[in-house]
Amino acid sequence: MAVEWIAVGLVIVGSMLGGILNDWSTAPAALALQYLGVVALVALTRGAVAGVVALVTAVGVLAILVAPFDGKLAVPIPKWQTWLRDVARHLHGFDVSVTILAIVGATELMIEHPLGMSKPVGVVVAVLFVGALVQFIVGRPVRQLYALVSLVVGVCLTILEAGNGAVPAEVLLGALLQLVTALAVAYFNMLGTARPAPPGQEGYRIRGLPLGPRGGDGAAP
Amino acid sequence: MTAIALIFIPLAAALLFLIVRSVIAARITALALLVELAVAVAGPVTTVDALGVTFAVTPIERFCTAIATLVAIVVLVASAEPGLTPTVIPAGLVALACINVAIGASGSTILDGLAITSGLVLLAPVLVRQLGDSASPETGRIYLTWIVVGGATLLTGRALGRLYAAQPGPGILGPAMVFFIVGVGILLAAFPFAFWLPSLSDESPLGTALVVGFLQTALTSVVAQASAGGAWLVTTYAARLVCTRGGSIAAMIAAFLALGEKRSGRAMALLVGANADLALAALVAHPAEARVGVVWLLGTQALAAAITLAGIDLIHGKLDGLAWRRPLLAASLAVAALSLVGLPLTAGFVGRWVILRAVESSGYALLLGTAVSGILGGLALATPGIALFQRTDAPRLPISTVDVLFFAMAVLLVIGGLDPNPVLHQLAAAANG
């Protein structure tokens, strides 16, 4: 049981990182944490074979997202000190507070109403769904693309846990869905629709409403 | 075996195309699609169990697969027209295979959603890259987002339904139904959820033809199965009333918006949304009675939408004087567009008529919605219709293969409008078990 809650913690950390993404350099790390938690949970609740399928899918998705385009890595892998410094520099109070609020709310909801799943799995599903929703609403394109992958992972986990579990065809097609979603996300990221906000415009606004002194439009290229 | 063949023929063709990238490969692809069509129409009725799922081909599945294959042929031939960039054929073929998985999988309510979403997500890069007048990256991203959200909503509804079946209890079935209807609404581009379709059809009509054709045929099969289950759909009188009136009003608004739309691609998208509203409203309110009409309406609409949108892409939206320049293509576009608004003697009218006949006892809202949306849609087609016959100095072009193919498809829509009974009887027999 303790291992299951550690897996839940990994997914929560990954989802929180996804909620504060400013560019793609953090996305693979955030997704890797999410997937690590999901793979562990699947292996613990659905058995080794399902765990191996989930692991292979996770590796495939991450490989697609960091695969080189035109000889360059889609996501340059920074040194961890640099990466941590970048993450800290791009932290915004609003992003962090909304993400924490949403995740705590989702966790509380699923612990109180587990919806026919085990509590750890229910919490993970809720965190992935609500985290994706928050990333859609307050995020810029980079977070929205990240949210698509999270959403698909959440759906596949729900399907695995629904009723008596998924049949092999559903497991395979769920893996295919995750891979093609990653492929499409990587493609649109490469096209530049998920560019980071320009310097000096690292704040955000919702539908033209400036929030706070940083202002700027995160959704704009 | 028929269902498995329908899945593997496009996969094999895609593999062949990837190995042998040449004109011969494109011709073999076209041949493979013709074989696919023949198998869909005349393959033996069998069921196969594979990977825990039963694949079957009833007349409803045959109808859906045949329409999806016709759509693929239309788009393939249109994309081969000189002046257009080469299509990413393998992606389209794999998407067709995914759609056939969704149509054929009768033993799993979740596999269809997974297959539809996978196939349509796979097309997202193609829409932006090489399919006719390509969509902008931003529009492509919006398409991807809504397809994933729609697919996720549909799948969540399905998963909640499975949870409910395993652990009966209050509170799950209602949300499951709502998720299912919203998911289908997003994917069908029914007006309140049609966020992605108008922009996409404006920028990339050919890509939209493929997407709408595949989505609508696959979802036709999905909603036919769901309505057969019965338990999915609303049962209380008040909820039925709300859904019927809401769908009818949405259809009228969509047709009204099409009336004010100057760009033909966007107008066609709104008309597609209006039909989807009517179909969903009828299905939610009267699932058993309206099933055959909904299957017919959505299936024929998929073909009509594919012809109009692919045709618009072929001529780059320039309708002026098309009747003098390319009469066969102009006639095809006119017939398909009129079928979209349900003009009598077209297949689109038959779908609306069958639905209204089935729900006549309580379908006044639907009747009003159908009549008003049909009239408004017809008026919306007046401007492009006049443009078709405008005098032009441009020379008449020789009749090409694509003109003949489009005309043949339009003739199918007219035949469907004149004598629908052979197919309708088979669909009714399948729907009634």
Side-chain angles (χ1 to χ4, degrees), chain B residues 384-408:
Chain B
I386 291 168
L388 278 182
F389 292 97
Q390 217 167 36
R391 280 282 173 194
T392 177
D393 295 331
R396 175 175 288 199
L397 299 176
I399 294 173
S400 64
T401 313
V402 71
D403 292 6
V404 175
L405 178 83
F406 273 56
F407 190 70

Side-chain angles (χ1 to χ4, degrees), chain A residues 72-146:
Chain A
K72 287 188 299 185
L73 280 179
V75 184
I77 299 172
K79 289 180 180 172
W80 69 272
Q81 297 97 329
T82 320
W83 176 70
L84 274 180
R85 200 168 52 237
D86 281 352
V87 170
R89 199 173 61 207
H90 291 304
L91 275 183
H92 297 307
F94 181 74
D95 294 341
V96 175
S97 56
V98 166
T99 306
I100 288 176
L101 203 63
I103 286 173
V104 168
T107 307
E108 163 70 14
L109 184 72
M110 290 310 283
I111 286 176
E112 291 295 322
H113 307 281
L115 207 64
M117 302 175 190
S118 68
K119 280 183 181 172
V121 176
V123 169
V124 165
V125 166
V127 165
L128 288 172
F129 279 179
V130 175
L133 185 68
V134 169
Q135 288 149 20
F136 274 129
I137 293 172
V138 300
R140 48 181 64 96
V142 61
R143 289 184 201 160
Q144 290 170 358
L145 287 179
Y146 179 88

Side-chain angles (χ1 to χ4, degrees), chain B residues 17 75 102 162 201 214 259 264 366 389 393 423 426:
Chain B
F17 191 90
V75 174
R162 191 178 274 183
S201 56
F214 282 0
L259 182 60
S264 43
L366 266 181
F389 292 97
D393 295 331
V423 180
Q426 287 196 36

Side-chain angles (χ1 to χ4, degrees), chain B residues 73-74 77-78 80-82 314 326 328-329 332 398-409:
Chain B
I73 291 172
V74 165
V77 173
E81 179 86 339
L314 271 176
R326 297 174 76 168
L328 283 185
L329 185 61
S332 317
I399 294 173
S400 64
T401 313
V402 71
D403 292 6
V404 175
L405 178 83
F406 273 56
F407 190 70
M409 298 293 172

Side-chain angles (χ1 to χ4, degrees), chain A residues 115-116 129 136 141 144-145 148 151-152 155 158-159 162-163 165-170 172-174 177 180-181 184 187-188 191 193, chain B residues 51-53 108 110-111 114-115 117-118 121-122 124-125 128-129 137 140-141 144-145 148-149 152 155-156 159-160 162-163 166-167:
Chain A
L115 207 64
F129 279 179
F136 274 129
Q144 290 170 358
L145 287 179
L148 293 181
L151 194 59
V152 168
V155 165
T158 310
I159 291 168
V167 297
E170 293 167 354
L172 288 177
L173 222 54
L177 177 59
V180 294
T181 305
Y187 181 73
F188 283 103
L191 286 183
T193 56
Chain B
L51 297 170
V53 177
S108 164
I110 283 177
L111 198 66
L114 285 169
T117 315
S118 301
V121 165
L122 191 65
V128 176
R129 198 172 163 200
R141 193 175 62 80
L144 175 68
T145 303
V148 171
V149 169
L155 285 165
T156 306
L160 287 179
R162 191 178 274 183
L163 271 174
Q167 298 177 337

